[in-house]
Amino acid sequence: MDAVYAMAHALHRMHRELCYGYPGLCPRMASIDGKELLSHIRAVSFNGSAGTPVVFNENGDAPGRYDIFQYQITNRSTAEYRVIGSWTNKLHLKVEAMRWKSGDPSLPPSVCSIPCRAGERKKVVKGVPCCWHCERCEGYHYQASEFTCELCPYEMRPDVNRTGCVPIPIIKLEWHSPWAVVPVFISMLGIIATSFVIVTFVRYNDTPIVRASGREMSYVLLTGIFLCYAITFLMIATPDVGVCSFRRIFLGLGMCFSYAALLTKTNRIHRIFEQGKKSVTAPRFISPASQLVITFSLISVQLLGVFVWFAVDPPHTVVDYGEQRTQDPLSARGVLKCDISDLSLICSLGYSILLMVTCTVYAIKTRGVPETFNEAKPIGFTMYTTCIIWLAFIPIFFGTSQSAERMYIQTTTLTISLSLSASVSLGMLYMPKVYVILFHPEQNVPKRKRSFKAIVTAATMSGKLSQKGGDRPNGEVKTELCESMETNSDFIN
């Protein structure tokens, strides 16, 4: 209806302007076109059928008049449309009457996509360039641009906002760490005990027990025990070229000193009793000087291997970023350590372990020697216990190679194993002697000198008794042998 009235008002106005009171269509209106009529239509203004004005704007559009509804769920849990505003030339909105699904009275953002936060990249929705999804840069990636994430360099990690990269913190084994406190405490006790034994032996250097134990070899063995304890401090010290060099030298040297001396001792005992079964001629190289030459020859092999290692691969430090490269970059750490692989470490200890195994074999061979005759049995017990310690060390050391606590566990395990093996040697071989020297000096007196002929007799009788002992209790065989040697009960010099 308003459209018809608008056309009528436009024609009336046009007739009045073009025909000037001429009744009917004048010649001027007979040739008009639609554009001229449209200009008159846009200029009309009257009250329409609803009592509201009918006008057109510059674009030829009628003014909008709208009621704005929102689909709401009322308290009765029924959904219906409710008027929340209107539009008549401008917006009239009742915000307090609006309801949202979440129950939050604040207005939801009227955008396709909200801006991404720091550390998030925009992933554009295909076909809708104005809309995107925000994706967080994960792992060791950082936000390189508005649309891309890139991986940080290997020695770096993303910062808190993931807008850049920062260096990964570098750590090392600290002295106050529980992983270091326990080995250091054990080593300090061991060093004190070893120093006490050395001082005691030096103080009573000319007493029979010290002479009978082989003074020269005893001091070599005590030096090895001392080095086994002292290496703990090098393993925990802050790595640098000097510390790494000393680690290579002394890591296997303490064990080498100990087991080279013990191997020389057990080999000497074995050769003496084997020779005694054959003839009354003493075997060669059983003097203290010969024993020292043999011992230091064995030790020189270890030192030669270390010097070759120095020439092939000079010592230096590295920062291992892979050992504690966790999934969470904030927990990642670089470990400062000497450039010594697990294989190189085992090779460094390998020669000492070979000496240890060989010494154990000789200890087994000399297990039948009378206990009143020498210290073969204490050496045997020492080697059996030491083998058990190192058999336990190997699976722990290599079983933790993939652990995030690898540096702590392996260093602690290695140092404690070295200290325990040194403690076994110190406790079984020297503490009984120190006890006699200090608390039972009446037993530390010279006894009759044994000739090599007496040794031959003991070796021959030991063989015969072991043959006869097949159907006799071990205690009887042992008693008979000991009684036969009562007059010759002294240590082998």
Side-chain angles (χ1 to χ4, degrees):
M1 291 172 62
D2 289 342
V4 173
Y5 278 119
M7 180 69 73
H9 280 285
L11 287 172
H12 179 73
R13 184 174 178 177
M14 182 185 217
H15 184 271
R16 187 173 61 246
E17 291 180 0
L18 297 180
C19 296
Y20 303 105
Y22 185 86
L25 290 177
C26 63
R28 176 69 181 83
M29 286 186 66
S31 61
I32 65 171
D33 57 13
K35 289 183 178 182
E36 191 173 359
L37 176 60
L38 180 59
S39 63
H40 287 84
I41 293 176
R42 289 182 173 179
V44 300
S45 176
F46 62 94
N47 287 331
S49 58
T52 57
V54 176
V55 294
F56 298 95
N57 59 21
E58 65 275 7
N59 296 320
D61 298 321
R65 291 184 300 274
Y66 306 100
D67 287 330
I68 302 174
F69 295 84
Q70 185 185 35
Y71 192 70
Q72 297 180 357
I73 297 178
T74 63
N75 294 332
R76 299 187 302 273
S77 298
T78 57
E80 61 182 9
Y81 285 98
R82 288 195 171 187
V83 177
I84 60 171
S86 63
W87 174 275
T88 51
N89 293 327
K90 64 179 182 179
L91 179 64
H92 303 276
L93 190 62
K94 300 177 183 178
V95 177
E96 65 278 2
M98 303 173 70
R99 297 290 182 270
W100 308 105
K101 181 179 180 182
S102 62
D104 187 356
S106 60
L107 296 176
S110 181
V111 293
C112 178
S113 300
I114 60 176
C116 294
R117 294 176 295 180
E120 295 180 343
R121 74 178 185 95
K122 291 181 179 179
K123 183 178 180 182
V124 178
V125 178
K126 187 177 181 180
V128 189
C130 295
C131 298
W132 58 82
H133 299 300
C134 294
E135 287 189 347
R136 182 170 174 78
C137 298
E138 298 294 343
Y140 287 82
H141 291 79
Y142 72 100
Q143 182 185 1
S145 67
E146 188 178 2
F147 298 97
T148 60
C149 293
E150 292 185 2
L151 184 65
C152 287
Y154 190 69
E155 69 280 1
M156 304 185 79
R157 66 182 184 183
D159 57 20
V160 178
N161 294 326
R162 291 186 176 271
T163 55
C165 296
V166 295
I168 294 177
I170 298 175
I171 62 171
K172 61 180 182 64
L173 184 56
E174 300 291 346
W175 292 100
H176 56 77
S177 169
W179 296 99
V181 170
V182 174
V184 168
F185 179 73
I186 296 174
S187 296
M188 291 181 66
L189 291 180
I191 289 174
I192 293 172
T194 306
S195 301
F196 178 75
V197 172
I198 294 174
V199 170
T200 303
F201 266 54
V202 172
R203 172 67 178 80
Y204 298 93
N205 190 57
D206 291 326
T207 59
I209 285 184
V210 176
R211 291 202 309 269
S213 63
R215 288 176 291 187
E216 298 80 3
M217 299 303 297
S218 291
Y219 292 129
V220 172
L221 179 54
L222 287 170
T223 300
I225 293 173
F226 184 89
L227 292 176
C228 286
Y229 286 123
I231 189 62
T232 297
F233 299 93
L234 284 175
M235 297 301 295
I236 298 176
T238 302
D240 56 30
V241 175
V243 170
C244 293
S245 300
F246 284 119
R247 281 187 188 180
R248 288 192 183 187
I249 295 173
F250 291 104
L251 181 58
L253 192 60
M255 291 179 60
C256 188
F257 263 81
S258 300
Y259 301 126
L262 289 176
L263 176 59
T264 304
K265 274 192 170 188
T266 53
N267 175 263
R268 174 175 179 266
I269 296 169
H270 175 73
R271 287 189 295 114
I272 287 175
F273 278 85
E274 287 298 314
Q275 181 71 15
K277 294 177 183 179
K278 300 175 183 178
S279 66
V280 294
T281 305
R284 296 189 302 172
F285 309 121
I286 62 172
S287 65
S290 300
Q291 298 298 291
L292 287 176
V293 170
I294 294 173
T295 301
F296 283 105
S297 297
L298 294 173
I299 294 172
S300 65
V301 176
Q302 171 77 14
L303 292 175
L304 179 62
V306 171
F307 291 143
V308 172
W309 189 9
F310 270 92
V312 174
D313 182 20
H316 58 280
T317 60
V318 295
V319 178
D320 188 350
Y321 292 99
E323 184 172 318
Q324 295 197 20
R325 192 176 179 86
T326 59
Q327 293 184 349
D328 181 10
L330 295 178
S331 302
R333 298 291 185 270
V335 180
L336 176 64
K337 60 183 182 178
C338 295
D339 188 22
I340 302 177
S341 64
D342 292 347
L343 180 60
S344 300
L345 184 67
I346 294 301
C347 289
S348 178
L349 297 173
Y351 178 67
S352 299
I353 294 176
L354 176 62
L355 293 178
M356 179 185 70
V357 173
T358 308
C359 184
T360 305
V361 172
Y362 274 106
I364 295 173
K365 288 184 176 182
T366 58
R367 69 186 184 277
V369 174
E371 59 193 23
T372 58
F373 226 75
N374 54 70
E375 54 184 4
K377 283 184 172 57
I379 292 176
F381 292 140
T382 299
M383 298 317 301
Y384 307 150
T385 308
T386 304
C387 286
I388 293 173
I389 291 173
W390 288 99
L391 285 175
F393 160 78
I394 292 175
I396 295 175
F397 186 87
F398 288 100
T400 57
S401 58
Q402 304 300 322
S403 172
E405 305 290 337
R406 169 187 172 185
M407 174 187 66
Y408 306 110
I409 297 175
Q410 291 188 344
T411 302
T412 302
T413 303
L414 177 59
T415 52
I416 290 180
S417 297
L418 287 167
S419 296
L420 288 179
S421 59
S423 299
V424 169
S425 301
L426 188 67
M428 291 190 174
L429 298 178
Y430 290 102
M431 287 306 175
K433 295 181 176 65
V434 172
Y435 176 77
V436 172
I437 291 172
L438 296 180
F439 299 104
H440 293 282
E442 71 279 0
Q443 298 180 16
N444 189 13
V445 293
K447 296 184 180 180
R448 283 172 290 183
K449 184 75 173 178
R450 179 194 302 118
S451 65
F452 185 71
K453 183 177 180 181
I455 299 174
V456 172
T457 303
T460 305
M461 184 170 291
S462 177
K464 290 180 179 179
L465 289 176
S466 62
Q467 293 176 0
K468 293 192 298 179
D471 54 353
R472 299 172 61 187
N474 290 337
E476 294 182 11
V477 176
K478 189 173 182 181
T479 301
E480 182 178 340
L481 178 60
C482 291
E483 289 174 352
S484 67
M485 296 306 302
E486 279 181 351
T487 58
N488 296 304
S489 57
D490 194 6
F491 294 92
I492 295 177
N493 290 313

